[in-house]
Amino acid sequence: MATVNESNLCSICHNLSAICICIGCKKYFCSKDFQEHEQQLSIKFNNEILKSHDEFLDQIDKLEKSNYSSLDLSDQIEQWKKITINKVEEAAEKVRHKLIELIKKQRITIIQQLEPITKEIHRRQEEKHFLENGIDHFKQKINEIQQKFEYFCQQHIKKSIIIDNNNQIDWNQFIYIHEEQQKCEYFD
């Protein structure tokens, strides 16, 4: 009695008419069931591979089209920008206030130095008492105080205010993106 060879059996209908083998799953099929098997593989490929591939491409397109504004990281960058601007404005306001205080202090000092001369000038003016050497003395005292004032305005204030140029700040190190290197295996 002849034994049935399993390689002759169709894996679907179990008939002896199996003439095709699928090199993927290594199963035998009759020609009708082999066509159906190929259709199922085509449907599975479309549903699982093409669909996920297209959805993934859509995600990539949406990321690019969104201009990254919907990302939480963009919000963090915007928050950093606002905080930094506020800190710069606070620092500028603090220095501006100190400058005003420095000018007021120097103004008071100059006025105090000029006060005795002012009183003497008014007294002489009332008495109508003018002498050449008095005029020269007042002129010399006023010039001395004026030179101190001009030195203060031109030199002292300029040397007192230190402006750190933006060129000296490495803005690329203030905030930056750290890109991690990833090992990816690509399909051939």
Side-chain angles (χ1 to χ4, degrees):
M1 180 172 172
T3 60
V4 177
N5 185 356
E6 285 189 29
S7 64
N8 294 346
L9 293 178
C10 174
S11 64
I12 302 288
C13 67
H14 302 291
N15 286 338
L16 289 173
S17 59
I19 56 170
C20 302
I21 184 169
C22 175
I23 58 173
C25 65
K26 308 283 190 237
K27 292 182 181 177
Y28 292 92
F29 298 95
C30 66
S31 57
K32 176 186 150 240
D33 289 334
F34 187 69
Q35 284 180 342
E36 188 176 316
H37 180 66
E38 284 182 324
Q39 277 184 313
Q40 288 174 347
L41 289 175
S42 176
I43 290 169
K44 186 175 182 177
F45 181 81
N46 288 339
N47 288 343
E48 294 178 15
I49 304 302
L50 288 179
K51 185 178 176 183
S52 66
H53 176 265
D54 292 345
E55 287 172 356
F56 184 53
L57 283 176
D58 283 346
Q59 286 178 330
I60 293 169
D61 285 344
K62 285 178 185 174
L63 178 66
E64 186 176 349
K65 289 176 185 174
S66 73
N67 206 14
Y68 311 105
S69 61
S70 63
L71 295 175
D72 183 46
L73 294 176
S74 288
D75 293 340
Q76 289 179 25
I77 293 168
E78 189 62 27
Q79 183 70 20
W80 173 86
K81 181 179 108 177
K82 288 177 182 177
I83 290 170
T84 303
I85 289 170
N86 286 341
K87 287 181 180 180
V88 169
E89 287 174 348
E90 287 172 8
E93 191 57 37
K94 187 177 179 181
V95 170
R96 187 177 295 114
H97 181 71
K98 284 185 177 182
L99 175 62
I100 290 168
E101 290 299 315
L102 179 65
I103 291 171
K104 280 182 183 178
K105 183 180 171 184
Q106 188 61 35
R107 183 180 167 274
I108 290 169
T109 302
I110 296 292
I111 288 173
Q112 286 173 347
Q113 290 175 0
L114 198 55
E115 192 174 319
I117 298 169
T118 304
K119 285 180 182 178
E120 185 64 25
I121 291 172
H122 288 292
R123 189 181 66 75
R124 297 263 176 114
Q125 209 173 15
E126 287 174 7
E127 295 175 359
K128 298 191 189 241
H129 181 61
F130 309 108
L131 299 173
E132 287 85 8
N133 61 354
I135 292 173
D136 290 340
H137 174 71
F138 286 127
K139 193 175 187 180
Q140 179 186 353
K141 287 292 187 181
I142 291 171
N143 281 338
E144 286 175 14
I145 296 171
Q146 189 172 9
Q147 285 177 356
K148 288 179 186 179
F149 178 73
E150 288 174 2
Y151 173 79
F152 170 78
C153 290
Q154 293 175 358
Q155 300 297 322
H156 186 71
I157 289 179
K158 287 180 182 178
K159 288 180 182 178
S160 297
I161 301 172
I162 299 171
I163 299 175
D164 195 3
N165 245 346
N166 286 341
N167 296 337
Q168 294 174 347
I169 297 173
D170 188 355
W171 291 99
N172 294 323
Q173 292 300 315
F174 237 44
I175 183 171
Y176 57 94
I177 299 292
H178 175 71
E179 186 177 355
E180 291 186 22
Q181 298 296 322
Q182 296 178 352
K183 290 185 178 182
C184 294
E185 294 181 21
Y186 296 98
F187 296 101
D188 292 327

